[in-house]
């Protein structure tokens, strides 16, 4: 069964993360399914833009600790979002954690309801937000990231807009999206593709420069005793041994 559902509405390809059993965590299957769906949308001349959304109350819980994706596959997915020659819009109405925030950061526009919340939880299981930093660091406020990367605290939607993780938020996410999608439908495909190229140039420079090092860092950290303890504690729903 696919973990990504596809639909089309007036030229907007809607990709819905649909893996409720693990709260849309980034499993090897979900990363592969989403990469394939993006590739199809990129080739489709009738798709003007891509809307990335979710079922349930969680956009994505981050990496699936029981079935983690290959770090290089995750890098490839994030790059595919950035490089797609069509705008990608993230739509969120629930919780977003760790790698899920990376997915949103790789989108060109990200919109959420005021009920959404976000957190970089990697430090709490003994690793670091390594691979997802490729789209996050060029787009978000560095002083704010220092706080939220290092503490794992939750951000609510208004704060996520302030620090650059979101474009906009509102009580009704679809009301916020309406003028955005209307504007994209009125734009020419060529104009959108070339404008997106201008906007993503600095992000892609980060991928070119840092992807190999951050992928290696992720692999090293997940193999450490502290990461094993952190992941075990998470799966057992207890505090890891270092909590004071």
């Amino acid at each position: 069964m696919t973990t990504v559902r596809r639909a089309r509405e007036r030229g907007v390809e809607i990709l819905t993360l649909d893996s409720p059993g693990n709260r849309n965590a980034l499993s090897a299957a979900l990363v592969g399914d989403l990469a394939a769906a993006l590739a199809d949308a990129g080739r489709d001349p009738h798709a003007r833009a891509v809307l990335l959304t979710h079922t349930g109350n969680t956009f994505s819980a981050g990496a699936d600790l029981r079935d983690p994706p290959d770090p290089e596959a995750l890098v490839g997915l994030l790059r595919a979002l950035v490089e797609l020659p069509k705008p990608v819009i993230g739509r969120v109405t629930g919780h977003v954690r760790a790698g899920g925030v990376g997915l949103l950061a790789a989108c060109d526009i990200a919109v959420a309801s005021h009920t959404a919340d976000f957190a970089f939880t990697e430090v709490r299981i003994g690793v670091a937000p390594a691979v997802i930093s490729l789209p996050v660091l060029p787009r978000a406020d560095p002083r704010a990231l220092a706080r939220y990367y290092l503490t794992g605290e939750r951000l609510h939607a208004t704060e996520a807009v302030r620090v650059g993780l979101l474009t906009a938020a509102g009580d009704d996410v679809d009301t916020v999206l309406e003028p955005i999608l209307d504007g994209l439908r009125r734009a020419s495909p060529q104009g959108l593709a070339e404008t997106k190229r201008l906007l993503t140039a600095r992000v892609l420079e980060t991928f070119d420069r840092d992807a190999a090092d951050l992928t290696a860092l992720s692999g090293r950290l997940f193999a450490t005793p502290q990461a094993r303890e952190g992941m075990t504690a998470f799966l057992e729903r207890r505090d890891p041994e270092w909590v004071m």
Side-chain angles (χ1 to χ4, degrees):
M1 293 179 62
T2 183
T3 60
V4 178
R5 291 196 280 112
R6 307 186 195 187
R8 178 75 58 82
E9 184 177 321
R10 292 181 55 209
V12 175
E13 186 76 3
I14 302 170
L15 303 181
T16 302
L17 305 183
D18 187 24
S19 182
N22 65 358
R23 298 186 302 146
N24 294 324
L26 300 178
S27 63
L30 188 146
V31 168
D33 288 345
L34 182 53
L38 286 168
D40 288 345
R43 291 189 293 264
D44 188 342
H46 302 294
R48 183 66 49 85
V50 173
L51 181 69
L52 179 61
T53 187
H54 62 100
T55 59
N57 65 1
T58 302
F59 175 78
S60 176
D64 187 337
L65 300 183
R66 298 182 188 276
D67 180 27
D70 184 285
E72 292 187 359
L74 181 56
V75 170
L77 173 60
L78 296 175
R79 182 158 194 149
L81 286 162
V82 176
E83 281 190 321
L84 198 77
K86 305 167 194 285
V88 181
I89 306 96
R91 176 191 177 277
V92 177
T93 60
H95 310 300
V96 190
R97 299 290 182 266
V101 187
L103 284 186
L104 280 185
C107 295
D108 303 290
I109 297 169
V111 176
S113 68
H114 282 148
T115 58
D117 59 41
F118 310 81
F120 298 98
T121 51
E122 290 88 347
V123 291
R124 298 193 177 190
I125 63 166
V127 296
V131 167
I132 68 167
S133 286
L134 292 165
V136 171
L137 289 179
R139 285 180 159 160
D141 176 74
R143 295 298 287 178
L145 285 181
R147 172 180 177 175
Y148 295 113
Y149 265 31
L150 291 169
T151 66
E153 293 174 88
R154 283 188 295 173
L155 304 77
H156 294 289
T158 301
E159 175 71 352
V161 172
R162 186 190 72 80
V163 305
L165 293 174
L166 284 179
T167 306
D171 291 331
D172 183 348
V173 68
D174 293 315
T175 298
V176 178
L177 276 170
E178 188 174 349
I180 294 170
L181 296 178
D182 181 65
L184 296 174
R185 289 178 172 121
R186 293 173 181 273
S188 84
Q190 174 179 281
L192 289 175
E194 293 304 322
T195 301
K196 175 166 178 172
R197 194 188 306 275
L198 292 173
L199 291 167
T200 57
R202 189 163 65 93
V203 182
L204 290 173
E205 287 174 3
T206 303
F207 275 81
D208 292 339
R209 185 186 67 234
D210 298 333
D213 289 343
L214 292 177
T215 301
L217 173 63
S218 179
R220 288 199 305 273
L221 288 174
F222 271 97
T224 62
Q226 281 194 26
R228 286 194 292 273
E229 164 61 12
M231 290 185 287
T232 300
F234 176 82
L235 294 172
E236 294 177 351
R237 299 181 181 275
R238 62 173 174 82
D239 285 338
E241 62 186 9
W242 56 75
V243 172
M244 301 173 69

